[in-house]
Amino acid sequence: MAESDEQAVETDAPGWKPTPEAKKKATTFRWIAVALWIVAIIGEAVGIFWLLRQRVYVGEEGTFTRDPETGLVTESGVTAIFPQWAFIALLVLLVVIAALSITGSVLWKKANRLDPARKSDKARFFVQNQLGAIIAIVAFLPLVILIFLNKDMDKGQKATAGIVGIALALLATYIGIDFAPASVEQYTADQSAVIQILGEDEVVWVEGGKVYHVCDEVPDIQTGSEKLTGTTAEAVAAGKYRLTLRFASELKTCGLPVPENADEIADALREIQAGSENTPLPAPVWGDDVTPPIVVEDAAPAE
């Protein structure tokens, strides 16, 4: 009886939840990403406060002259230039900052797939999913601006370093953007569809696949790889981030009942997986000769 009660609690839990293993893995990815971003920003600081201040002087035999109109003394014959070694070091630093920023962004996005934010919390959802792009801008923009403002670089050095900096900044920002972020709502919709169609939260996947399936007899997973079975949360932890939208044909292949409105359910899931916030998930409609896998009563309206 206790086991049955526990299962009911898990099924009735408000919203999808990651497995403890996925949560731990996501936390590890995030800490590594933050460490990489901190190093990238430290590298930016080194470039701004040390590297860009390097200069050597030529024509040191210059003389002082006084401007009779202003009364100010100027030194002629002495020119400060940006040394070549510092220019090469600056280019290397830009590449290193980009590598650190991009690697951190990739890990951060993997963490967000394993442990996503709720789309209903708009501010957190935006920041959490676009933090990689934000960090890329922070790590590059001040340094690139100061490159163009540097008075000791010649035109060739400034143009080369500026173009490289802008190109790497755009690349790191683009990779940092999550164009299709996962959400708790999306995973909850997939989980709800699975429970209503199959009667339980149990799906199948293989190592090489990108989605999880409703049974183990479908052609897409007859690859020779081991077929793994578990909950939707365990599938997500294994890197399968959504339910296949071809579940109707899979149900037919496995001899399982197919909802009469399977296409409508698939269309709703497609919209939700694409980021829609206002698409309701239809309840399965079963034929008169079909015994529903599970009966889920509508919740009482909120007071």
Side-chain angles (χ1 to χ4, degrees), residues 33-161:
V34 169
L36 293 173
W37 287 337
I38 290 174
V39 175
I41 293 175
I42 290 174
E44 177 190 31
V46 169
I48 291 173
F49 296 108
W50 180 69
L51 200 53
L52 287 180
R53 295 187 177 187
Q54 298 302 311
R55 59 181 58 86
V56 294
Y57 295 94
V58 295
E60 295 184 6
E61 68 284 353
T63 58
F64 292 103
T65 58
R66 179 180 178 277
D67 187 332
E69 295 184 2
T70 64
L72 300 178
V73 175
T74 59
E75 188 176 10
S76 60
V78 178
T79 304
I81 63 173
F82 194 67
Q84 189 66 13
W85 71 264
F87 171 67
I88 295 173
L90 178 60
L91 296 180
V92 173
L93 180 64
L94 289 169
V95 173
V96 171
I97 292 174
L100 292 168
S101 177
I102 290 171
T103 303
S105 293
V106 171
L107 291 174
W108 190 264
K109 286 198 283 189
K110 286 184 177 181
N112 289 339
R113 291 289 186 273
L114 294 169
D115 181 22
R118 290 183 178 273
K119 186 166 288 188
S120 56
D121 188 349
K122 296 186 182 299
R124 178 181 175 182
F125 186 77
F126 174 80
V127 172
Q128 179 169 317
N129 286 291
Q130 309 308 332
L131 187 58
I134 295 170
I135 293 295
I137 293 171
V138 171
F140 273 101
L141 186 59
L143 182 56
V144 170
I145 290 174
L146 290 175
I147 286 173
F148 284 110
L149 294 178
N150 189 285
K151 297 180 180 180
D152 299 322
M153 286 185 178
D154 60 41
K155 291 182 179 179
Q157 289 176 328
K158 190 175 294 188
T160 301

Side-chain angles (χ1 to χ4, degrees), residues 80 167 227:
K227 299 173 188 176

Side-chain angles (χ1 to χ4, degrees), residues 7 9-13 15-19 187-205 212-214 228-236 243 293-294 296:
Q7 184 176 1
V9 169
E10 291 179 358
T11 300
D12 295 338
W16 178 93
K17 294 181 180 179
T19 65
Y187 288 170
T188 301
D190 286 340
Q191 181 189 56
S192 297
V194 167
I195 292 173
Q196 293 182 88
I197 291 170
L198 299 178
E200 60 182 337
D201 184 8
E202 183 174 285
V203 292
V204 185
W205 67 92
Y212 49 84
H213 306 267
V214 295
L228 303 171
T229 302
T231 65
T232 53
E234 290 170 336
V236 169
L243 169 66
I294 189 173
V296 180

